[in-house]
């Protein structure tokens, strides 16, 4: 099928620029960075032009086209002025002229407008408001007032330095993360994503919850590669959501399962939607330590989803049905092996000391060599190659643009110091009380993360909220994982629940109802971050002993299962909800002695519940 705009001038330009992006990413991953300034600034220009061209393809009218062209010109002028003074900027001996200030400001405005075009008004509004705060914050009331920043200083930091738009997040994206965008696009080209969905359906077909469990497995597998929960929902949801509804679940529940499972991929190692590499860069903690720390909580998150789905199926009194056997030929099983071997190659290279970018290149190379050996016809499939190049280029462009907008936020917060003042205010409100601080932090993370993709949400939230947790003695990895979880869960939390809103049209359900159901399904995910703090040994590789880690895993596992069961209790047994929640709280928050007592009570409760069910697993009807 021909790609949209393939024969148009815009379509050809998009393909050319996308090919340049793909080639640059492969070169940097294999040979390293040739020049920091030219790479970061040049990739922003390429990304901005790609976004503008993709929007011009479907522009609604002449005014919209003129606005897009003006936006692209504004960004181009800002980049041109940067390149004109690049050598002096690198030496730190460059003083801005009025022309520099105006063109740099034009570049910032163009970037914000392209962000709006890429991911909507929420992220763009945040960047615009923060930029205005940097310029006029000396007029603001109360504690948020800053001492005042001149236009020259503001533009110098945000545009003509490595402390704003072109700072560390941009460096991490263009040198490390984009190769994994290519990896995901290549797997899609090789149709491995479709095989993973069918494999998940085959593995869970005999379960009572059937396709709902399959959606959880498939979305979790592909979500760890995808950098966007929304993209994951759209990619796998068109297959899984209709199957879940066919099994007897409501459209609301089907969409919620897909949204919750897709969001969980962003917290699942080894790639975690590319956040793992940014977290390693920001914290200075080795990538493999981040993966080890994230592993158990991710398993617990999906374990909670499985329990909630199974409990809902039991509550609906669905019976196990004989499922049609899904057959796999040798080629499909080999495609699954390609997926696993590619991931193993990435992790193996990292263990061997390779950089994340080079490890990603090796993963791409392994997937390409093995995948094309299995499907040699794809090597001469021009349409498939064009789709791959266009998809990889446009996804990369969107990520580059929104991370540039994040750089505006980071630059202003660092320049004015308001982030640290916000953390101090939060600590003052909680008066050193850890529990209250965590609750306020969680609420603030959900509010700040609403409407944003995972990467910018994590970066902004951890900059603003992270210091207050560390002031209370929470270790750095635990702090960043806490922030990441709530940043990810904001995608299913009303009122702005992007993943749930993307699933609702596919499921034919109301968006807000779908978001509420997704939050209910994923409720253990909202509790697990608190467990990081109260059961710190849960995060492996962070310095705790074997038995402490085993105890923490047991307590949190039982708490997660209890919370999931409490959300979907058997009919006629609503009294189990407060009992299960009380036991979960005892397991998590009141020390080892209370935890072991609660463990014994949980085992007794489980045995009692089983005794109240018929042999098929459904509740015994009371006469």
């Amino acid at each position: 099928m021909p790609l949209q705009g393939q024969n148009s001038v815009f379509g050809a330009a998009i393909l050319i620029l996308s090919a340049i992006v793909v080639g640059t990413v492969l070169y940097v991953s294999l040979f390293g960075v040739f020049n920091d300034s030219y790479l970061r600034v040049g990739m922003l220009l390429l990304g901005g032009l790609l976004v503008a061209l993709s929007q011009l393809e479907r522009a609604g009218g002449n005014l919209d086209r003129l606005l897009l062209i003006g936006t692209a010109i504004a960004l181009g002028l800002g980049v041109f002025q940067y390149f004109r003074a690049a050598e002096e900027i690198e030496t730190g001996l460059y003083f801005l002229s009025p022309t520099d200030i105006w063109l740099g400001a034009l570049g910032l405005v163009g970037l914000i407008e392209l962000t709006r075009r890429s991911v909507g008004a929420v992220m763009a509004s945040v960047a615009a408001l923060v930029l205005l705060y940097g310029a006029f914050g000396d007029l603001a009331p109360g504690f948020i007032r800053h001492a005042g920043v001149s236009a020259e200083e503001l533009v110098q930091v945000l545009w003509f330095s490595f402390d704003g738009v072109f700072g560390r997040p941009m460096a991490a994206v263009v040198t490390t993360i984009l190769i994994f965008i290519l990896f995901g696009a290549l797997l899609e080209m090789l149709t491995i994503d479709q095989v993973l969905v069918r494999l998940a359906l085959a593995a869970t077909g005999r379960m009572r919850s059937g396709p709902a469990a399959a959606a959880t497995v498939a979305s979790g597998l592909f979500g760890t590669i995808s950098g966007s929960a929304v993209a994951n929902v759209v990619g796998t949801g068109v297959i899984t959501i209709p199957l879940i509804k066919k099994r007897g679940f409501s459209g609301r529940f089907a969409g919620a399962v897909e949204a919750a499972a897709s969001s969980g991929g962003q917290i699942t190692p080894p790639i975690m939607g590319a956040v793992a590499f940014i977290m390693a860069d920001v914290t200075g903690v080795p990538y493999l330590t981040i993966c080890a720390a994230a592993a158990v909580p991710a398993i617990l998150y999906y374990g909670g989803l499985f329990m909630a789905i199974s409990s809902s199926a039991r509550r609906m009194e669905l019976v196990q049905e004989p499922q049609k056997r899904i057959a796999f030929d040798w080629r499909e099983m080999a495609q699954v092996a390609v997926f696993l071997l590619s991931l193993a190659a990435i992790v193996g290279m990292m263990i061997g000391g390779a950089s994340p970018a080079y490890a990603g290149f090796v993963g791409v190379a392994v997937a390409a060599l093995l995948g094309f050996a299995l499907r040699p016809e794809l090597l001469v499939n021009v349409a498939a190659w064009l789709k791959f190049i266009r998809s990889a280029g446009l996804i990369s462009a969107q990520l580059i643009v929104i991370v540039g907008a994040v750089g505006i936020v980071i630059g202003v917060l660092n320049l004015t110091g308001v982030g640290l003042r916000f953390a101090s205010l939060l600590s003052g409100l909680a008066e050193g009380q850890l529990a209250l601080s965590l609750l306020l932090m969680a609420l603030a993370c959900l509010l700040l993360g609403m409407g944003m993709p995972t990467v910018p949400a994590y970066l902004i939230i951890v900059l603003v909220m992270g210091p207050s947790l560390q002031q209370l003695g929470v270790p750095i990895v635990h702090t960043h994982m806490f922030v990441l979880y709530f940043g990810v869960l904001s995608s299913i939390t009303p009122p702005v629940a992007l993943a749930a809103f993307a699933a609702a049209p596919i499921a034919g359900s109301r968006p807000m109802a779908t978001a509420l159901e997704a939050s209910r399904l994923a409720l253990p995910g909202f509790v697990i971050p608190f467990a990081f703090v109260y059961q710190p040994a849960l995060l492996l590789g962070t310095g705790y002993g074997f038995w402490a880690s085993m105890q923490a895993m047991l307590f949190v596992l039982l708490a997660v299962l209890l919370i999931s069961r409490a959300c979907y209790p058997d009919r006629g047994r609503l009294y189990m909800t407060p009992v299960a929640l009380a036991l979960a709280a005892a397991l998590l928050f009141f020390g080892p002695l209370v935890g072991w007592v609660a463990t014994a009570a949980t085992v007794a409760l489980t045995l009692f519940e089983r005794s109240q069910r018929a042999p098929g697993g459904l509740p015994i009807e009371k006469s």
Side-chain angles (χ1 to χ4, degrees), residues 217-228:
V217 173
S219 298
L221 284 173
F222 207 70
T224 184
I225 300 166
S226 167
S228 167

Side-chain angles (χ1 to χ4, degrees), residues 293-551:
V296 172
I299 293 170
L300 293 173
Y301 177 85
Y302 279 102
L305 276 185
F306 272 108
M307 174 60 78
I309 292 167
S310 177
S311 298
S312 178
R314 185 182 298 112
R315 180 183 175 86
M316 294 170 59
E317 299 184 356
L318 296 179
V319 296
Q320 292 180 341
E321 295 179 350
Q323 298 293 320
K324 183 179 178 181
R325 186 173 179 271
I326 299 177
F328 293 87
D329 59 28
W330 69 269
R331 193 186 302 271
E332 290 174 316
M333 295 308 297
Q335 284 179 291
V336 175
V338 169
F339 173 74
L340 296 175
L341 288 172
S342 301
L343 287 182
I346 292 171
V347 175
M349 291 300 297
M350 295 289 291
I351 292 173
S355 69
Y358 186 74
F361 178 86
V362 171
V364 169
V366 170
L369 288 172
L370 298 179
F372 289 127
L374 287 172
R375 300 196 58 188
E377 73 277 5
L378 286 175
L379 283 171
V380 293
N381 188 329
V382 176
W385 277 107
L386 293 179
K387 182 179 179 181
F388 162 72
I389 293 170
R390 181 185 172 103
S391 173
L394 288 176
I395 294 171
S396 299
Q398 287 187 341
L399 184 57
I400 290 167
V401 167
I402 60 178
V403 170
V406 168
I408 295 175
V409 177
I410 292 174
V412 171
L413 292 181
N414 285 336
L415 189 61
T416 61
V418 72
L420 293 175
R421 288 204 299 275
F422 189 83
S424 299
L425 175 67
L426 191 66
S427 300
L429 288 174
E431 295 183 352
Q433 296 297 315
L434 182 59
L436 184 55
S437 295
L438 291 174
L439 286 171
L440 291 172
M441 173 85 68
L443 179 60
C445 289
L446 290 173
L447 290 173
L448 287 172
M450 284 180 182
M452 294 190 199
T454 303
V455 170
Y458 160 72
L459 284 169
I460 291 175
I461 293 166
V462 82
L463 179 71
V464 177
M465 308 302 302
S468 61
L469 265 189
Q470 290 179 257
Q471 285 177 9
L472 294 169
V474 179
I476 187 168
V477 174
H478 296 68
T479 295
H480 281 251
M481 290 293 293
F482 185 96
V483 167
L484 173 63
Y485 261 68
F486 282 104
V488 167
L489 291 171
S490 67
S491 68
I492 58 172
T493 306
V496 184
L498 291 182
F501 288 2
I506 303 173
S509 59
R510 289 178 296 148
M512 193 58 66
T514 305
L516 290 170
E517 191 71 38
S519 299
R520 181 183 180 189
L521 271 169
L523 185 61
F526 292 87
V527 177
I528 288 172
F530 291 90
F532 298 160
V533 179
Y534 286 92
Q535 302 285 344
L538 181 69
L539 302 191
L540 302 180
T542 55
Y544 293 90
F546 175 79
W547 290 113
S549 296
M550 291 298 103
Q551 176 182 274

Side-chain angles (χ1 to χ4, degrees), residues 41 44-45 47-49 67-83 98-116 124 127-128 131 154-160 164-166 170 400-408:
V41 183
L44 177 66
L45 178 61
L49 291 176
L67 178 59
L68 277 164
I69 292 170
T71 301
I73 291 172
L75 181 68
L77 288 172
V79 168
F80 168 78
Q81 196 68 7
Y82 186 102
F83 283 142
T99 302
D100 294 325
I101 295 172
W102 280 107
L103 293 185
L106 272 180
L108 293 171
V109 171
L111 175 60
I112 291 172
E113 171 59 14
L114 289 170
T115 302
R116 184 184 72 83
L131 180 59
L154 186 64
V155 174
Q156 174 86 52
V157 169
L158 296 185
W159 192 259
F160 292 99
V165 171
F166 308 113
M170 180 67 75
I400 290 167
V401 167
I402 60 178
V403 170
V406 168
I408 295 175

